[in-house]
Structures are given as C-alpha cells and as structure tokens.
Amino acid sequence: MKKYLIMLMALLFAAPGWSETLRVFCSGGMYPVVESLKADYEKRSGNQLTLEAAPSMGDTPQAIPNRLKRHDDADVLVMVDYAIKPLAQQVKSDTHQVLAHSWIAMAVKQGRPAPDISSVAKFKQVLTEASTIAVSDSASGRYIRSEMLKKLNLGEQTAKKVRVIPATPVGEAVAEGKAPIGFQQNSELKAVKGITIVGLIPPAVQQDTLYGAVVTASSKQPQAAGDFVHYLQSDRAKAVMRDKGLTPF
C-alpha cells in the first residue's frame, strides 16, 4: 500500500499544471517591482510566489548573504547586481541576469519645504546645513558614505551627521521625523507614504546601481526558478520597472 501511495504522489507532482511555490529574496530597490508583478506572474505561470524583503548586503540577519550562510534558502535572489558575484558558490551563475538601472533620490517629510538640489553647489549646501542625514545600510548608503561625501569635499563634520538605517526603508525614518532628509534608491522611496521625493541627486555625484536576479544553487525547482528570472525581463516587467522609478537594462 505504501509503495502505491509513493507512486501516486510522484505522478501528482509530475502532472502538468502542478503548482510550484517559489521563494524569492528581494532587496528594497526591486521589491516594489516584484511585489507589483506577483499576481500577474502567478496567473501566467500557475505557480505561487513567496516574496521576502531582504537587503543585498549589511550586518543585519535579514541580509541575503547572512540568510544564505545559515541555510535560509530561497529559489531566486533579486538584489544589487555587484553583490551577486561574492555568492558564486551559492548560486547558479549561468542563470544570472541584469535587470535594471537604479538611481539615488532624496526625500523629506511630507509637508516640509523641498530643498533645492538642482546643482552640486546647492546640494552640497543642503547636506552641510542638515542636522541629520539618513542613508541605507545597503548600496546607496555605502556609496554616500564612502564616495559621495569625498566627491563633494565634505569632511568629518558632515560625515558625523550620517545616520545608517538598517534593514528598514530610509523613507520611513524620514516620515517619522527621525531625520530631516534621507537618501535611498528612487524606487524604494516611491514605495513609502508620508514623504516627498525632492528628486534625484545631481548627475555629477549620482551612482548607477544595477539590479540583477539569479537562481540559487539550493533551489529544488530550478526550471521554474529560471523561468521566473526570464519573466523579470519581459515587457510587462520592464513597464513596471519604469513605473517604479527604475530603468530596464
């Protein structure tokens, strides 16, 4: 009897139309995109999507590298593209696809005057006068702390005002009044209520961050996972990327 039950279960799992559930770890810059695409993907594929927010890097337990280290496995990773390479032993590199360009924007609490950041000089003045500068613990925040302030010739006095917001949207900290200005990927800020996006930071100090997707080496359903990565390159996905403030690759 047990033998027949095993055979029946095998046939059921192999049957056409069998729904698979994909677990996706997604960093903040692409999260609004994948969240918006979830229903469309599920309808088209017949599969289910479990979407979990996870930073591309950082020291928090939620960060993708830390989750993979403790074998908290997913089927697909959607994250800052340059952060995929260090995970070479934990992903199927031949499935890696670059998805979109992302740009850093600045936000203030809704109702407060929007500072003028239309030139490098005016942007520098805003940073100099701010009491606190909120940034993420991921790609945009690392760039601001390690490179942008140097490009602007802003010293230790300004650097001391930078407050890193770990594993939480920077926009939420700004909306709660924890910092008068905050910086994060434009797509991440657009998903937060209670803030006004002042605009992208000046081109001379801007950073183009690429986002990518890849199937994990631990995925038990690599075919479906690979198909999802391809879906993220579809015209439908690209349209949502544009709507959320990214530029498809």
Side-chain angles (χ1 to χ4, degrees):
M1 183 67 178
K2 184 177 180 181
K3 177 182 177 181
Y4 290 115
L5 283 173
I6 294 173
M7 290 176 63
L8 177 61
M9 290 300 294
L11 288 170
L12 285 172
F13 277 96
W18 179 263
S19 176
E20 295 181 288
T21 299
L22 295 177
R23 191 182 189 195
V24 178
F25 290 165
C26 185
S27 62
M30 277 290 292
Y31 191 91
V33 173
V34 182
E35 185 178 42
S36 294
L37 290 168
K38 183 176 183 291
D40 180 70
Y41 166 76
E42 292 179 339
K43 182 179 179 180
R44 289 171 183 262
S45 68
N47 295 329
Q48 301 297 306
L49 206 64
T50 299
L51 179 61
E52 299 180 31
S56 299
M57 59 197 76
D59 299 325
T60 64
Q62 300 98 316
I64 288 174
N66 296 332
R67 297 185 76 164
L68 296 182
K69 280 181 184 177
R70 62 175 185 265
H71 305 292
D72 185 10
D73 295 326
D75 295 291
V76 177
L77 310 177
V78 182
M79 60 193 295
V80 170
D81 196 68
Y82 71 73
I84 292 176
K85 188 175 181 179
L87 304 176
Q89 301 301 314
Q90 297 157 293
V91 300
K92 295 181 181 293
S93 298
D94 60 337
T95 66
H96 172 213
Q97 296 292 336
V98 181
L99 301 175
H101 301 267
S102 182
W103 313 98
I104 301 171
M106 189 181 98
V108 297
K109 186 174 182 179
Q110 192 173 52
R112 290 186 176 175
D116 185 353
I117 60 170
S118 60
S119 69
V120 170
K122 291 176 179 178
F123 180 55
K124 183 175 179 178
Q125 182 178 353
V126 169
L127 292 173
T128 301
E129 294 175 353
S131 58
T132 307
I133 301 167
V135 303
S136 77
D137 64 344
S138 196
S140 60
R142 290 191 178 191
Y143 164 72
I144 288 168
R145 287 179 289 150
S146 65
E147 296 183 47
M148 192 189 80
L149 294 182
K150 291 179 182 178
K151 288 181 180 180
L152 292 168
N153 294 314
L154 289 171
E156 189 64 24
Q157 187 174 353
T158 302
K160 287 180 179 179
K161 296 188 290 186
V162 174
R163 178 179 178 183
V164 178
I165 309 298
T168 303
V170 171
E172 291 184 5
V174 174
E176 293 168 4
K178 295 178 180 178
I181 60 173
F183 298 89
Q184 202 161 19
Q185 305 295 344
N186 188 38
S187 56
E188 295 180 81
L189 292 175
K190 287 185 73 171
V192 178
K193 296 180 179 179
I195 62 173
T196 297
I197 298 177
V198 177
L200 300 181
I201 66 175
V205 291
Q206 180 63 261
Q207 183 191 49
D208 176 7
T209 299
L210 294 175
Y211 279 84
V214 68
V215 176
T216 64
S218 61
S219 175
K220 300 298 191 295
Q221 43 219 353
Q223 181 63 53
D227 290 344
F228 177 67
V229 172
H230 286 299
Y231 168 79
L232 291 176
Q233 302 166 76
S234 66
D235 289 342
R236 167 65 177 163
K238 289 179 179 179
V240 174
M241 289 177 200
R242 293 188 189 95
D243 181 63
K244 298 299 181 182
L246 295 107
T247 303
F249 187 74

